[in-house]
Amino acid sequence: MSRDNITAMGNRRKAKSRDSRRDEEIYRAMSEAIVEHRLSPGDRLPEDALAEAFDVSRTGIRKVLQRLALERLVTIQANRGASVARPSPGEARDVFGARRMVECALMDAVADNMTEEDLAELRQLVRDERHAQGRGEQRQAIQLSAAFHTRLSRVARNEPMSEFIGQLALRSSLVIAVYGSTDSIGCDCGDHGEVLDLLEAGEKDKARKWMAGHLEHIERSLRFESGSEGTPDFKSIFQRRAQSGAGDG
């Protein structure tokens, strides 16, 4: 193989790697915007507007939208395009039913595998969530709640189950965005620190019951009413995020 061919192959690999990294950046930006509710359920996601906002091709945006659709965060319909998923009441109940079955069943493994490092990270998430609730930052509190459940599931050391719970937690955040009330993330649902105390003490049965009651309370707090649809200002949403991220360093 000639030097020119080797150089060309190397350039193609580099370009492909850059494209993959950019796709991942866009995926993370959009999934975070959905979870944080900067993009609301029902918001339309036109490929051309998103491509302009991210300064990429529509093909790249289409790949990201398809990935989000597989995770049930986005809905893609023929002749209507993509929009942020708006779960139906039935889907909402199914999500919480699945969470009760899976998360409660994991409590034994979580208690058996919990390390001091796990506990410290989880307690920090609880503190952050309390602060967000105290400041009235509902979107941040919802995000931190989902992060807590996802991180807790990882303690079980069962990757397929923790991935499944992570997806359910993301879908739950959409459900709460559409149907939730202040009770859905408030103290009435139980402080996550309570289940950590039970797990640390090895109270597996009580931890299972606490988790079941916690998720049942959130489901009961939902108000199944419909909302409006619209097309958000993507440049404003994602430029604001980029500026915030630059300041964090």
Side-chain angles (χ1 to χ4, degrees), residues 1-164:
M1 184 178 295
S2 70
R3 181 177 296 177
D4 288 344
N5 287 337
I6 293 173
T7 300
M9 288 178 61
N11 289 338
R12 284 196 295 270
R13 282 197 294 268
K14 289 178 182 177
K16 186 175 181 180
S17 177
R18 284 195 301 270
D19 290 344
S20 296
R21 286 197 300 271
R22 185 58 176 147
D23 289 348
E24 185 65 23
E25 289 171 0
I26 295 170
Y27 163 78
R28 289 187 179 279
M30 291 189 64
S31 60
E32 287 175 8
I34 292 171
V35 171
E36 293 170 4
H37 311 305
R38 288 180 283 116
L39 289 174
S40 301
D43 278 351
R44 298 186 185 91
L45 302 171
E47 291 177 5
D48 53 352
L50 285 165
E52 182 180 355
F54 285 106
D55 193 24
V56 295
S57 70
R58 290 180 62 176
T59 300
I61 292 296
R62 192 174 299 123
K63 287 193 295 184
V64 172
L65 290 174
Q66 289 169 347
R67 180 177 174 184
L68 291 167
L70 286 173
E71 296 180 356
R72 303 292 185 90
L73 296 180
V74 163
T75 300
I76 300 176
Q77 294 178 304
N79 303 320
R80 283 181 57 86
S83 60
V84 179
R86 179 184 293 281
S88 69
E91 289 170 335
R93 294 186 181 98
D94 287 345
V95 166
F96 278 96
R99 287 189 63 178
R100 282 194 297 275
M101 285 188 287
V102 178
E103 293 190 56
C104 294
L106 275 187
M107 288 299 98
D108 282 14
V110 169
D112 290 339
N113 290 284
M114 183 82 75
T115 66
E116 290 184 5
E117 181 181 1
D118 292 326
L119 194 59
E121 290 182 12
L122 287 161
R123 290 203 182 279
Q124 183 59 56
L125 280 172
V126 171
R127 287 192 291 271
D128 292 343
E129 184 183 6
R130 288 172 183 162
H131 291 157
Q133 290 174 353
R135 294 190 299 266
E137 297 175 353
Q138 186 176 25
R139 294 181 178 184
Q140 181 72 0
I142 293 172
Q143 183 187 25
L144 288 166
S145 177
F148 174 87
H149 284 268
T150 301
R151 179 64 181 86
L152 184 67
S153 71
R154 293 189 188 130
V155 178
R157 312 293 187 248
N158 185 318
E159 186 174 351
M161 292 292 278
S162 64
E163 288 179 354
F164 182 46

Side-chain angles (χ1 to χ4, degrees), residues 92-93 95-97 99-100 103 129 133 141-142 145-146 148-149 169 172-173 175-177 179-192 210-224:
R93 294 186 181 98
V95 166
F96 278 96
R99 287 189 63 178
R100 282 194 297 275
E103 293 190 56
E129 184 183 6
Q133 290 174 353
I142 293 172
S145 177
F148 174 87
H149 284 268
S172 296
S173 73
V175 169
I176 294 171
Y179 303 114
S181 64
T182 54
D183 290 339
S184 301
I185 57 168
C187 297
D188 288 344
C189 291
D191 188 295
H192 285 137
W210 187 96
M211 185 62 71
H214 174 64
L215 295 171
E216 285 170 2
H217 187 99
I218 297 174
E219 184 179 349
R220 287 197 303 270
S221 75
L222 302 177
R223 302 291 180 264
F224 293 114

